[in-house]
Amino acid sequence: MSADIILVIVIATALAFDFTNGFHDTANVVAASISTRAMPPRVAVVFAAIFNFVGAFLSLKVAATVGQDIVNSSTVTMTVVFAGLIGAIAWNLATWYFGLPSSSSHALIGGLVGAAFAADGASAISGEGLLGKVLIPGLIAPVLAFVVAGTAIITAYVIVRRQRPGPVNHGYRLGQWLSSGLLALSHGTNDAQKTMGIITLALVAHGNISPDHFYVPDWVVVTSASAIALGTWTGGWRIIRTMGSRIINMDPAQGFSSQGAGAAVILAASHAGYPLSTTHVISGGVMGAGAAKRFSAVRWGVAGNIVFAWILTIPAAAIIGGIVYGVTEIFGASSALAHCANEGLSLLPEEPLRADNQRRFV
C-alpha cells in the first residue's frame, strides 16, 4: 500500500472523527435551547451547524497545540495518527450509544497519546504540553463555567425578580438565540481545530509539510469546518436528552446563563490555544445554573455518571489507540509505509512553504 493511499485513509478517518465530534457534541450547543423551548429542535440543530462552520475560521491556535504540543510531531507516523483517530472514534461511538456526553476532544488526545506511546514510548509524549494545555485546563474549565453560570443566574434573578414571569421567560428565550449562537461559534472554533491539527500532523508525517514550519493549509480548514458542521446537522439526540433535561429541568434564564457561561469560557480558551472539552464546559455551566437556583435541582447521580465518563475518556481512548497501533504493526501497515517512504513513492506534491499558501499561527 503506497504512502499516498495511507495518507488519504488517514485524512478520511480524521474527517470521520470530525463528523462524529459534530453529532456527539450537538447537545452541548442545542440542548438548553430545545429544553426551554426557545427553538424548535430542527431549527436549533441547523442554527448550530451554521455557527459551527463559521467558528472554525476564527483561530488556529488550538490546531497548533494539537499538532505540536501533545506529541513530538517530528517522530509521529501516519500509522500513529490513524490509530489515534480510531481510538477516539471508537470511544465517541461507545459513549454516544449509552447517551453519555463525554469529551470528544479528550478522546482524540487520548487516542493520539496512546498510539504514540505504543510506537515510541514515553519520549514521544510531551508531558509538559499534555499537563499544561490539556489536563489542567480540562479540570479548571468546567469549574469556571459552573461559577460563571451560577453567578449569572443569581444576577439574572435579582434583576427580574419584580417582573412578570411571562415576559421574562419570553425575553430570555430570545436571548438564547444569541447565547446559543455564541456557544456554537465557540464550539466550532475549538473543536474543528483539533481535526485540523491532526490532519496537518499527518501531512508532516507524509512529508508535505516540514515539522519546522508547521502551518494549516486552507483546504484543511475548509474540509474540517464542513465535516463538523455536517455532523452537527445530523444531531446527537441521545445526548441532547441527557443535557437538556436529565441533569436539570431548565428555565429560559438558566438556559441563557449556562450557554453564555460556556461560550465565554470556550472562546477564552481558544484564544489561549487550549483544546478544551466543550462537553465539560457546558455541563459545568448547566450544573452551575441549576445549583445556584436550588442545589437539589441538579440530578447529581446523572452528573456523577457524566464525570465518571470524563475520567475514563483519555485512558480508554489511549488504550484503544495503542491496541489499534499494535494491530497495524502485526499486519505490516507500518512496514509498508516505511518502504514506500524510502522508495520515494509520492503522488501528492509537497506544498511549497510560501506565505501565500499557508495559514500560519499568530
Side-chain angles (χ1 to χ4, degrees):
M1 185 182 295
S2 76
D4 291 325
I5 294 175
I6 294 176
L7 176 62
V8 171
I9 293 173
V10 170
I11 292 173
T13 306
L15 294 176
F17 166 80
D18 205 21
F19 178 85
T20 66
N21 189 357
F23 79 69
H24 192 276
D25 288 5
T26 300
N28 300 341
V29 179
V30 305
S33 297
I34 294 173
S35 176
T36 62
R37 299 181 182 178
M39 296 181 183
R42 292 297 175 188
V43 172
V45 169
V46 173
F47 188 76
I50 292 170
F51 278 91
N52 264 202
F53 181 83
V54 174
F57 293 87
L58 296 185
S59 172
L60 291 173
K61 290 185 177 180
V62 172
T65 296
V66 173
Q68 293 180 297
D69 297 336
I70 308 300
V71 295
N72 186 347
S73 60
S74 63
T75 62
V76 168
T77 66
M78 284 188 286
T79 307
V80 168
V81 177
F82 175 77
L85 286 166
I86 295 300
I89 291 172
W91 186 249
N92 264 2
L93 292 175
T95 53
W96 167 81
Y97 179 80
F98 290 106
L100 290 175
S102 66
S103 170
S104 297
S105 307
H106 288 180
L108 178 62
I109 291 168
L112 183 62
V113 167
F117 183 85
D120 292 315
S123 61
I125 313 301
S126 172
E128 181 179 352
L130 184 62
L131 181 65
K133 293 199 170 183
V134 178
L135 298 181
I136 292 177
L139 291 172
I140 293 175
V143 176
L144 182 59
F146 183 98
V147 173
V148 172
T151 303
I153 194 62
I154 291 172
T155 304
Y157 285 153
V158 168
I159 293 173
V160 302
R161 67 183 184 277
R162 298 183 184 276
Q163 306 298 318
R164 289 166 48 211
V168 168
N169 286 337
H170 178 70
Y172 276 117
R173 286 192 181 102
L174 292 177
Q176 280 189 267
W177 284 78
L178 173 62
S179 61
S180 182
L182 286 174
L183 187 58
L185 194 75
S186 67
H187 178 262
T189 300
N190 201 278
D191 278 29
Q193 288 189 63
K194 295 153 192 171
T195 300
M196 297 177 201
I198 287 293
I199 293 176
T200 307
L201 199 57
L203 292 172
V204 171
H206 184 263
N208 292 76
I209 296 175
S210 168
D212 298 325
H213 298 86
F214 193 94
Y215 70 95
V216 179
D218 290 336
W219 68 266
V220 174
V221 177
V222 173
T223 53
S224 298
S226 301
I228 199 169
L230 183 61
T232 300
W233 178 71
T234 64
W237 301 105
R238 290 174 183 264
I239 301 172
I240 286 173
R241 180 170 175 266
T242 298
M243 294 292 293
S245 61
R246 288 183 60 195
I247 297 176
I248 66 169
N249 290 316
M250 284 183 283
D251 61 33
Q254 289 173 311
F256 176 80
S257 298
S258 62
Q259 288 175 319
V265 172
I266 296 168
L267 285 172
S270 299
H271 181 72
Y274 297 141
L276 279 189
S277 165
T278 53
T279 304
H280 289 204
V281 174
I282 192 57
S283 295
V286 168
M287 293 177 199
K293 180 179 180 180
R294 190 175 71 254
F295 191 80
S296 61
V298 178
R299 296 184 177 94
W300 294 105
V302 175
N305 291 337
I306 294 171
V307 171
F308 181 68
W310 291 349
I311 294 171
L312 283 180
T313 294
I314 288 182
I319 291 170
I320 298 171
I323 291 172
V324 172
Y325 179 83
V327 170
T328 58
E329 284 290 289
I330 291 172
F331 284 95
S334 291
S335 299
L337 175 58
H339 172 74
C340 293
N342 290 335
E343 293 296 325
L345 299 177
S346 178
L347 300 175
L348 299 178
E350 290 192 6
E351 299 187 31
L353 298 176
R354 298 188 317 221
D356 61 350
N357 191 41
Q358 54 188 286
R359 293 170 62 89
R360 292 193 177 277
F361 305 106
V362 293

